[in-house]
Amino acid sequence: MARKSVSMTKLALTGNEAVAEAFRQVNPDVAAVYPITPQTELMHKFSEYVYDGKVETELIAVESEHSAMSAAVGAAAGGVRAITATSANGLALMWEVLYIASGLRLPIVMAVVNRALSGPLNIHCDHSDAMGARDSGWIQIYSENSQEAYDNALQAFRIAEHSGVLLPTMITMDGFIISHTTEVLEILDDAAAREFVGEYKPMYTLLNPEQPVTMGPLDLQDYYFEHKRQQVEGMYNAPAVIEQVAQEYAALTGRKYGFIEAYRMEDAETAVVVMGSAAGTTKDVVDTLRERGIKVGMVKLRVFRPFPHEQLAEALSHLKSVAVLDRCISFGAQGGPVYMETRSAMYGKEIPIYSYIYGLGGRDLIPSLVESAYNDLFEGTPDPKMRYLGLRE
Amino acid sequence: MSELKGWKDIPIGGLIPHGGTAFDYETGSWRSFRPVHDRDKCIDCLDCWFCCPDNAIIAEDQKFKGFDMMHCKGCGICAKVCPPKVGAITMKPESEFEE
């Protein structure tokens, strides 16, 4: 691990506070905010920084999430660094504007505190909100704990604003499980964080009278298709940037981030693929099973968009079987969204892959449930259809 | 289609790297009603010039000169704001002008 080159402070923060801390250090120009559980605390904390004069951010308290994303789009089109944060139905209400942000190539950074979508009404964690936005042209980075949420928040600006990428980026954390759990984490000192993130220099701005531009014009059969292809190119360019930014961050902090995290995979015979806080639980289960001499591993996906298909396929290619845990259902599909992406990445490899749905609406994923998935892989024949962890029949 | 550029040769995000693009875009073809001006009735108050959302009233030396039919969408605001006692602008169906 790289040697740390800057001083860091250990703090006990919730996930929400950790990301608010990162946003404070970044000192963005505009924050468009609207409260929704479990995100509320994040922007509540950030608004304290605004009113205490600790940042110079223009905080706009808007009347809905649709307006929050619209205000962020306007600010970003004006050439400044814009942030927002939301959860669940708030993200759903942003829907059409998510596509405008990515389509106009505005590098907005948004924290998504994952929560189940209503109805019936539920305020607890699952990934249905962010997964629903997976085709909206946003980069998606998932966090296992508060430390990762903080680290990902700082890196997100560099990734989104890179001239070869210019795509809005959402960083996520599991609602309540991470957002409201106090953990000890390491925070960069302010100067180092600001130097790492750097100054934002927009390629174009609507507010430069010396160079007037037109943004968001009518774009019909003649050019719309070409502009969508350009967005694909941004996604193609993103991996190299994500990697470069992670390397610089590792040199600064000693904390290394990849597209995936392989845990005890070297000699593993089977593995579970997970995202978010479930990775922590799964690592514990892997350790327990390893103590019994069972060769299991885990792969955590950090980046979901762009999907790291090559890295994932390489990590899984030596296994006998794989279980993919999704905290989201794609109704009518063959499995959860992560499962389908994983199967697609593994196309042509004769390795059985099974879909497990868990944790919807905040249902706990206790270690014995993860263990039962591993047991299926080793002992039984997993049901070819979707299976459920922690569901009452 | 041959003169259209490929995706590598155009600015990203649909951006047009200059302003005033509405000037080059013909919106007059959207019109279903056409404003018709009566020079004898017009008092050159230019309320129509102030209110036209498409900048399609042409004025010179503070006098009404004509309509910019390339941009006039036929919304009828000019006819509406023309003082009732003056009534110098009336909206007529485009079909009356077709040959």
Side-chain angles (χ1 to χ4, degrees):
Chain A
M1 198 155 271
R3 196 183 311 143
K4 294 170 191 175
S5 58
V6 292
S7 65
M8 276 185 276
T9 312
K10 281 196 170 178
L11 292 175
L13 299 175
T14 65
N16 276 337
E17 289 168 344
V19 172
E21 182 73 2
F23 285 166
R24 179 189 65 73
Q25 294 181 317
V26 172
N27 190 16
D29 300 292
V30 171
V33 302
Y34 190 81
I36 183 168
T37 303
Q39 174 277 125
T40 304
E41 184 197 27
L42 196 166
M43 278 303 175
H44 183 177
K45 191 74 197 169
F46 184 77
S47 64
E48 282 179 19
Y49 296 140
V50 174
Y51 292 108
D52 290 346
K54 292 185 175 165
V55 290
E56 295 143 300
T57 307
E58 176 86 31
L59 186 116
I60 313 173
V62 291
E63 72 277 28
S64 76
E65 287 86 356
H66 188 281
S67 303
M69 186 49 65
S70 299
V73 162
V80 301
R81 197 173 251 158
I83 62 165
T84 185
T86 194
S87 295
N89 294 55
L91 184 61
L93 188 55
M94 287 180 179
W95 192 250
E96 60 168 328
V97 198
L98 292 179
Y99 285 76
I100 293 169
S102 60
L104 299 189
R105 311 298 296 272
L106 302 172
I108 297 159
V109 171
M110 169 164 60
V112 174
V113 184
N114 294 121
R115 163 186 151 180
L117 287 164
S118 299
L121 179 67
N122 183 294
I123 58 165
H124 289 280
C125 176
D126 71 36
H127 295 163
S128 313
D129 50 3
M131 280 294 139
R134 68 188 185 272
D135 291 334
S136 65
W138 283 61
I139 289 171
Q140 290 196 347
I141 303 176
Y142 287 74
S143 316
E144 179 185 331
N145 50 43
S146 295
Q147 181 74 69
E148 290 195 10
Y150 168 82
D151 294 339
N152 287 337
L154 288 183
Q155 292 175 67
F157 291 91
R158 291 281 306 278
I159 297 163
E161 293 166 5
H162 189 280
S163 61
V165 179
L166 285 175
L167 291 172
T169 299
M170 57 178 85
I171 49 143
T172 81
M173 69 177 117
D174 286 353
F176 289 110
I177 300 166
I178 302 303
S179 69
H180 285 62
T181 302
T182 302
E183 290 182 287
V184 174
L185 64 150
E186 279 190 329
I187 301 289
L188 280 166
D189 71 54
D190 288 0
R194 277 184 197 185
E195 199 192 323
F196 173 78
V197 173
E199 196 188 332
Y200 173 47
K201 295 188 185 82
M203 212 185 274
Y204 295 100
T205 153
L206 281 177
L207 298 180
N208 180 5
E210 303 299 318
Q211 189 194 11
V213 296
T214 304
M215 284 191 193
L218 194 64
D219 195 24
L220 301 178
Q221 296 96 323
D222 51 356
Y223 277 114
Y224 181 86
F225 202 171
E226 278 69 28
H227 292 128
K228 294 297 119 179
R229 175 63 183 84
Q230 291 176 333
Q231 283 177 249
V232 173
E233 196 67 7
M235 280 288 178
Y236 283 161
N237 293 340
V241 175
I242 293 169
E243 204 164 348
Q244 172 65 29
V245 169
Q247 277 172 12
E248 283 181 41
Y249 197 75
L252 201 62
T253 64
R255 289 190 292 279
K256 278 189 88 171
Y257 288 96
F259 298 92
I260 61 170
E261 181 190 340
Y263 187 73
R264 304 188 80 165
M265 286 294 291
E266 307 79 32
D267 60 341
E269 292 175 8
T270 67
V272 159
V273 177
V274 287
M275 288 201 307
S277 65
T281 310
T282 307
K283 285 173 186 169
D284 272 359
V285 174
V286 168
D287 290 345
T288 306
L289 295 176
R290 284 273 177 176
E291 277 167 27
R292 290 187 220 148
I294 307 170
K295 289 181 175 173
V296 294
M298 181 211 75
V299 173
K300 178 182 79 184
L301 271 173
R302 171 179 174 244
V303 180
F304 184 77
R305 281 289 182 272
F307 193 81
H309 56 98
E310 282 171 11
Q311 292 90 340
L312 187 65
E314 195 188 327
L316 302 176
S317 60
H318 65 287
L319 301 175
K320 289 177 179 158
S321 55
V322 177
V324 181
L325 273 54
D326 271 280
R327 200 162 202 148
C328 172
I329 290 187
S330 181
F331 299 103
Q334 287 176 284
V338 182
Y339 167 78
M340 290 190 286
E341 296 280 355
T342 304
R343 244 181 75 162
S344 199
M346 296 289 282
Y347 180 76
K349 294 183 168 57
E350 298 292 318
I351 301 167
I353 307 172
Y354 303 102
S355 180
Y356 287 82
I357 307 296
Y358 76 98
L360 299 187
R363 179 72 48 88
D364 277 337
L365 182 73
I366 56 174
S368 61
L369 292 173
V370 182
E371 199 175 326
S372 74
Y374 281 110
N375 287 340
D376 284 348
L377 292 174
F378 266 103
E379 292 161 15
T381 310
D383 191 316
K385 291 193 287 286
M386 276 193 285
R387 291 174 73 106
Y388 305 91
L389 296 175
L391 174 79
R392 293 181 305 278
E393 293 296 339
Chain B
M1 293 288 278
S2 59
E3 75 240 43
L4 295 176
K5 292 175 178 171
W7 65 268
K8 292 173 190 160
D9 300 322
I10 52 175
I12 59 167
L15 182 132
I16 301 170
H18 53 88
T21 52
F23 197 74
D24 301 325
Y25 193 77
E26 183 179 353
T27 50
S29 61
W30 304 3
R31 202 170 52 239
S32 54
F33 287 90
R34 184 186 296 195
V36 176
H37 182 245
D38 186 336
R39 182 66 263 179
D40 295 338
K41 292 184 182 169
C42 181
I43 58 168
D44 293 306
C45 68
L46 294 183
D47 277 4
C48 55
W49 181 84
F50 278 112
C51 295
C52 175
D54 285 302
N55 209 15
I57 307 286
I58 304 161
E60 263 176 41
D61 300 328
Q62 300 182 34
K63 298 230 181 294
F64 179 96
K65 263 305 208 213
F67 300 104
D68 170 4
M69 286 300 178
M70 179 177 161
H71 294 107
C72 171
K73 294 173 187 154
C75 69
I77 288 174
C78 54
K80 192 89 177 168
V81 300
C82 189
K85 287 180 184 170
V86 176
I89 298 174
T90 46
M91 300 303 293
K92 298 203 164 156
E94 276 294 322
S95 57
E96 289 184 17
F97 299 92
E98 276 165 12
E99 284 146 31

